[in-house]
């Protein structure tokens, strides 16, 4: 049996959300109607596998529906995996631990990952390269200078997510 990357696109109030799963683990998620855009960002070994669209991915898709219906912690129950250096993995783990309804600053995220406050730039880089939004909730990180800062899928999506989570 050949392994595949299975994809599903779900409608959300913030726009279409593409989910990509490999062997039951979410490897990419992002606000795009084209799963191929997320597929192109995967590491080379995963891009070597065939991409196929399926009708229902099961748990990850249900978690999105539950999240949209108000269970703000539903996304936390989905197993995720994405590449990165040990430092990036520490940052992504710390990011995943930021609960819905709260926000942190980049320097605080670095501290939570056991890195010095000066690692705020590394925290920003980890967020910018996050492949699994909103399951790895980079939308919950705000700049210390105020405002929303950047977001790979646009600040309108980031604002919608934060409002949905009652973080604003």
């Amino acid at each position: 049996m050949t392994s595949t990357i299975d994809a599903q696109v779900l409608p959300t109030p913030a726009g279409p959300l593409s989910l990509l799963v490999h062997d039951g683990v979410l490897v990419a998620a992002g606000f795009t109607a084209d799963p191929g855009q997320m597929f192109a960002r995967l590491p080379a070994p995963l891009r070597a596998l065939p991409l196929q669209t399926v009708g229902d991915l099961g748990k990850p898709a249900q978690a999105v529906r539950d999240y949209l219906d108000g269970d703000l912690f539903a996304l936390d129950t989905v197993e995720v995996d994405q590449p990165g250096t040990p430092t990036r993995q520490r940052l992504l783990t710390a990011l995943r631990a930021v609960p819905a309804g709260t926000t942190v600053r980049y320097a605080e995220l670095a501290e939570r990952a056991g890195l010095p406050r000066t690692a705020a730039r590394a925290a920003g880089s980890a967020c910018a390269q996050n492949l699994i939004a909103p399951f790895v909730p980079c939308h919950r990180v705000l700049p210390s200078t105020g405002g929303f800062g950047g977001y790979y899928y646009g600040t309108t999506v980031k604002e919608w997510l934060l409002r949905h989570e009652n973080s604003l």
Side-chain angles (χ1 to χ4, degrees), residues 54-80:
V54 299
D56 188 3
L57 286 174
K59 185 174 182 172
Q62 187 59 50
V64 170
R65 290 189 287 270
D66 292 345
Y67 172 81
L68 295 172
D69 286 342
D71 178 357
L72 300 181
F73 299 96
L75 302 180
D76 300 341
T77 67
V78 175
E79 184 181 357
V80 301

Side-chain angles (χ1 to χ4, degrees), residues 7 21 29 31 44 54 60 72 76 83 99 128-129 134 150 157:
V21 170
F31 289 93
V54 299
L72 300 181
D76 300 341
Q129 294 180 26
V157 173

Side-chain angles (χ1 to χ4, degrees), residues 111-129:
E111 280 184 13
R112 289 181 180 201
L115 302 169
R117 289 184 74 84
T118 55
R121 187 163 292 184
S125 176
C127 286
Q129 294 180 26

Side-chain angles (χ1 to χ4, degrees), residues 37-159:
Q37 289 181 348
M38 297 307 305
F39 185 77
R41 297 179 64 204
L42 291 175
L46 293 179
R47 286 195 320 270
L49 300 173
L51 174 66
Q52 68 178 9
T53 301
V54 299
D56 188 3
L57 286 174
K59 185 174 182 172
Q62 187 59 50
V64 170
R65 290 189 287 270
D66 292 345
Y67 172 81
L68 295 172
D69 286 342
D71 178 357
L72 300 181
F73 299 96
L75 302 180
D76 300 341
T77 67
V78 175
E79 184 181 357
V80 301
D81 183 39
Q82 64 182 310
T85 64
T87 297
R88 174 148 303 138
Q89 292 299 324
R90 286 169 58 186
L91 287 161
L92 293 171
T93 298
L95 181 56
R96 194 124 200 250
V98 176
T102 65
T103 59
V104 297
R105 305 291 184 209
Y106 290 102
E108 183 181 351
L109 179 62
E111 280 184 13
R112 289 181 180 201
L115 302 169
R117 289 184 74 84
T118 55
R121 187 163 292 184
S125 176
C127 286
Q129 294 180 26
N130 176 23
L131 294 176
I132 311 178
F135 294 80
V136 178
C138 49
H139 63 276
R140 296 180 190 149
V141 184
L142 301 174
S144 60
T145 55
F148 292 104
Y151 189 63
Y152 190 88
Y153 302 102
T155 54
T156 303
V157 173
K158 184 173 187 171
E159 282 184 69

